[in-house]
Amino acid sequence: MQMQIQNAFRALADPTRREIVQILASGDMTIAQLTDQFDMTRAAVKKHLTVLSDGGLITVEARGRERINRLEPNGLAPILDWFSYFDQFWDDRLNNLKEAIERNKK
Amino acid sequence: MQMQIQNAFRALADPTRREIVQILASGDMTIAQLTDQFDMTRAAVKKHLTVLSDGGLITVEARGRERINRLEPNGLAPILDWFSYFDQFWDDRLNNLKEAIERNKK
DNA sequence: TTGACATGATACCATTTGGTACCCCATAAA
DNA sequence: TTTATGGGGTACCAAATGGTATCATGTCAA
């Protein structure tokens, strides 16, 4: 639904949450592990994780007494879909990104 | 600087501002014209435009007593650059989008 | 069982945010 | 010169936001 787009954009609007996303890109982490990376309480990190989850950007897997936070690959889809509305404005850049990725694959 | 990314993401976090961006994609508009498209005061629209300008997503050109608001094509660049960090997660997505664009070009 | 650890949940607080109302200035039009 | 229109700027307000502190719960280990 449309709310998903709003939640996704809102989730990425905060610098701490964007950093969490970047950290999780390099590997799954528990809440405690993530908290070690920031200068704030576990409760604050947990709130950010809830917002990220609402935005569909991460998934959480219960594992014993731990909660494994994992980046959701398809979470960026709604945002990219929204951007696709502006093809005529960022075609060139999109093509450049695509080419860079192609080079990386070789 | 890094602040530009934050301002850009923040600008897109609000649904009204995303709608303004979409409207401006179809043509430049004055503040009064934009206000006609929404159920809010001119002052509120003006605030949104200021945020969009801070985010580098639009430019404003003074023209007589009017202010022409124009979508800035390169404004999305910082956001796309940030996304490029997650190549491994949205490679497929990007490919699909690229293919769709290729089809449209034919 | 007992204790330590990982998390959940809530109350509370300061700041930011989205919005209105209001007044002022510049400019176009009569 | 009036008069109307487009916009800037500020004060103010309610709600959302980001954070802490605190307490409760479940689970692993000795």
Side-chain angles (χ1 to χ4, degrees):
Chain A
M1 54 189 68
Q2 200 68 14
M3 198 58 188
Q4 191 63 22
I5 292 185
Q6 173 56 27
N7 287 341
F9 270 105
R10 172 177 177 262
L12 291 179
D14 182 86
T16 299
R17 286 194 290 268
R18 286 197 304 277
E19 198 172 344
I20 290 176
V21 168
Q22 289 187 326
I23 291 174
L24 290 182
S26 62
D28 305 342
M29 277 194 189
T30 66
I31 298 179
Q33 286 173 326
L34 276 170
T35 302
D36 288 341
Q37 307 283 324
F38 296 93
D39 185 27
M40 66 181 70
T41 62
R42 177 185 54 79
V45 173
K46 171 61 164 64
K47 279 192 178 183
H48 284 306
L49 290 173
T50 299
V51 175
L52 286 170
S53 179
D54 289 344
L57 296 177
I58 67 170
T59 56
V60 186
E61 177 195 350
R63 193 165 180 172
R65 62 179 169 181
E66 296 181 337
R67 298 291 181 282
I68 310 297
N69 298 275
R70 176 173 297 121
L71 197 59
E72 170 57 47
N74 292 330
L76 294 174
I79 293 184
L80 291 175
D81 286 344
W82 188 86
F83 278 142
S84 71
Y85 188 90
F86 306 97
D87 286 350
Q88 69 269 29
F89 286 99
W90 53 291
D91 246 20
D92 291 343
R93 179 159 288 271
L94 182 63
N95 278 315
N96 288 341
L97 270 178
K98 178 61 164 48
E99 287 166 9
I101 289 172
E102 288 300 320
R103 280 195 299 274
N104 285 339
K105 283 183 177 174
K106 292 174 184 173
Chain B
M1 57 188 69
Q2 201 68 13
M3 198 58 188
Q4 191 64 22
I5 292 186
Q6 172 57 27
N7 286 342
F9 270 106
R10 172 176 176 261
L12 292 180
D14 181 87
T16 299
R17 286 193 289 269
R18 287 197 304 277
E19 197 172 344
I20 289 177
V21 169
Q22 289 188 325
I23 291 175
L24 290 182
S26 62
D28 305 342
M29 278 194 188
T30 66
I31 298 179
Q33 287 173 325
L34 275 170
T35 302
D36 288 341
Q37 307 283 324
F38 296 94
D39 186 27
M40 66 181 69
T41 63
R42 176 182 55 77
V45 173
K46 170 61 162 64
K47 279 192 179 182
H48 284 306
L49 289 173
T50 298
V51 175
L52 286 170
S53 178
D54 290 344
L57 297 177
I58 67 170
T59 56
V60 185
E61 177 194 349
R63 194 166 182 172
R65 64 178 168 181
E66 295 182 337
R67 298 291 181 281
I68 311 296
N69 298 278
R70 176 172 297 121
L71 198 57
E72 169 58 46
N74 292 329
L76 294 174
I79 293 184
L80 291 175
D81 287 344
W82 188 85
F83 278 141
S84 71
Y85 189 89
F86 304 97
D87 289 350
Q88 69 270 30
F89 285 100
W90 52 291
D91 254 18
D92 294 340
R93 191 81 207 169
L94 189 60
N95 275 317
N96 291 339
L97 193 54
K98 179 62 165 31
E99 287 168 10
I101 291 174
E102 288 299 322
R103 281 196 298 276
N104 286 337
K105 282 181 178 176
K106 290 176 183 173

